[in-house]
């Protein structure tokens, strides 16, 4: 397989980007606020699914889906919230990234709603029992939490979810011909030289 050299005739400056796409309307720029207002708080409280974006000090990125019961995130005030780190596969990619680079992005979804809430800020890995004990699930508090100091919040337009028809079950593809998650998992292990007993 021959790789494409993406750097050939690539865009390398914001000026070049702006020449092609133009500038955003004033309303689009000024919809961003540095605090959680009541609308943002309510959006987070109703969201059972969100995505956490992090990168390490070298700029290697990761986006991790997080599912929790609505109101699973603790909103402390209009500038801070805490995300519980529920037990999982122990990779803790996001946690490790935050240790070397605190900048994070969050994307919140509400089932059936085509708009999303975006939040950017700085994160700290916390273990304060007085905060984590309030976030128990099935009687178990998280061992760690992600404290977020909020820098930017804004509602994102519905174009992506509307065009993808993600909430329209009639448009969902038939997944019977797709490999199972276990098939994909085993294939990745074998790619890395692990012998898998089937």
């Amino acid at each position: 397989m021959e790789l494409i050299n993406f750097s050939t005739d690539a865009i390398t400056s914001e000026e070049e980007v702006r020449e092609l796409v133009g500038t955003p309307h004033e309303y689009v720029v000024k919809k961003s606020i540095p605090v959680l207002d009541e609308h943002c708080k309510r959006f987070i409280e109703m969201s059972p699914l969100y995505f956490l974006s992090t990168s390490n000090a070298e700029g290697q990125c990761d986006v991790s889906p997080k599912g929790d019961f609505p109101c699973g995130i603790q909103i402390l005030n209009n500038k801070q919230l805490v995300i519980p780190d529920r037990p999982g596969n122990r990779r803790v990619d996001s946690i490790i990234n935050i240790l070397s680079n605190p900048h994070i992005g969050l994307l919140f979804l509400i089932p059936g709603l085509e708009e999303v809430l975006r939040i950017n800020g700085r994160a700290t890995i916390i273990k304060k029992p007085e905060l984590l004990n309030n976030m128990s699930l099935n009687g178990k508090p998280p061992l760690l939490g992600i404290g977020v100091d909020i820098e930017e919040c804004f509602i994102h337009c519905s174009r992506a979810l509307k065009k993808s028809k993600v909430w329209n079950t009639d448009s969902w593809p038939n997944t019977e011909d797709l490999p199972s998650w276990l098939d994909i998992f085993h294939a990745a292990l074998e790619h890395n030289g692990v012998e898998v007993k089937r």
Side-chain angles (χ1 to χ4, degrees):
M1 177 180 66
E2 184 178 350
L3 297 180
I4 294 170
N5 183 356
F6 288 123
S7 66
T8 302
D9 198 30
I11 300 292
T12 58
S13 70
E14 181 176 347
E15 289 75 19
E16 290 179 275
V17 172
R18 291 299 176 199
E19 283 180 16
L20 289 171
V21 304
T23 56
H25 190 279
E26 178 187 18
Y27 290 1
V28 174
V29 175
K30 292 190 174 178
K31 70 178 179 178
S32 171
I33 57 177
V35 296
L36 290 174
D37 64 9
E38 294 308 310
H39 303 299
C40 293
K41 289 178 182 177
R42 186 67 183 131
F43 201 109
I44 293 169
E45 289 170 349
M46 293 182 66
S47 174
L49 174 65
Y50 53 97
F51 295 83
L52 172 62
S53 173
T54 61
S55 67
N56 62 21
E58 289 73 44
Q60 295 166 311
C61 298
D62 179 74
V63 178
S64 179
K66 303 289 184 183
D68 214 326
F69 60 94
C71 302
I73 287 178
Q74 188 175 174
I75 299 172
L76 301 178
N77 49 59
N78 69 354
K79 287 288 290 182
Q80 294 177 307
L81 54 81
V82 178
I83 299 169
D85 187 59
R86 304 290 183 199
N89 59 16
R90 298 189 180 95
R91 280 186 58 114
V92 293
D93 295 317
S94 301
I95 299 289
I96 300 302
N97 281 348
I98 289 168
L99 292 175
S100 65
N101 179 357
H103 298 283
I104 67 164
L106 289 159
L107 183 72
F108 291 91
L109 292 90
I110 296 174
L113 189 67
E114 291 174 331
E115 291 75 22
V116 299
L117 178 67
R118 290 172 56 178
I119 293 179
N120 297 312
R122 296 173 68 87
T124 304
I125 308 306
I126 63 171
K127 58 179 181 179
K128 290 179 181 289
E130 59 268 30
L131 291 176
L132 299 180
N133 288 343
N134 296 329
M135 308 176 79
S136 294
L137 181 62
N138 299 323
K140 294 182 179 180
L143 297 175
L144 298 171
I146 301 172
V148 180
D149 288 295
I150 291 162
E151 297 175 337
E152 181 180 39
C153 307
F154 58 95
I155 199 77
H156 193 96
C157 75
S158 62
R159 182 174 298 152
L161 271 64
K162 188 183 293 291
K163 285 184 177 254
S164 67
K165 300 181 181 179
V166 69
W167 305 126
N168 181 356
T169 57
D170 293 336
S171 73
W172 289 0
N174 183 348
T175 59
E176 290 179 359
D177 295 330
L178 285 176
S180 70
W181 74 269
L182 194 57
D183 291 332
I184 298 171
F185 179 58
H186 285 166
L189 292 176
E190 290 169 344
H191 178 84
N192 287 317
V194 178
E195 186 176 344
V196 177
K197 294 180 180 178
R198 295 182 184 269

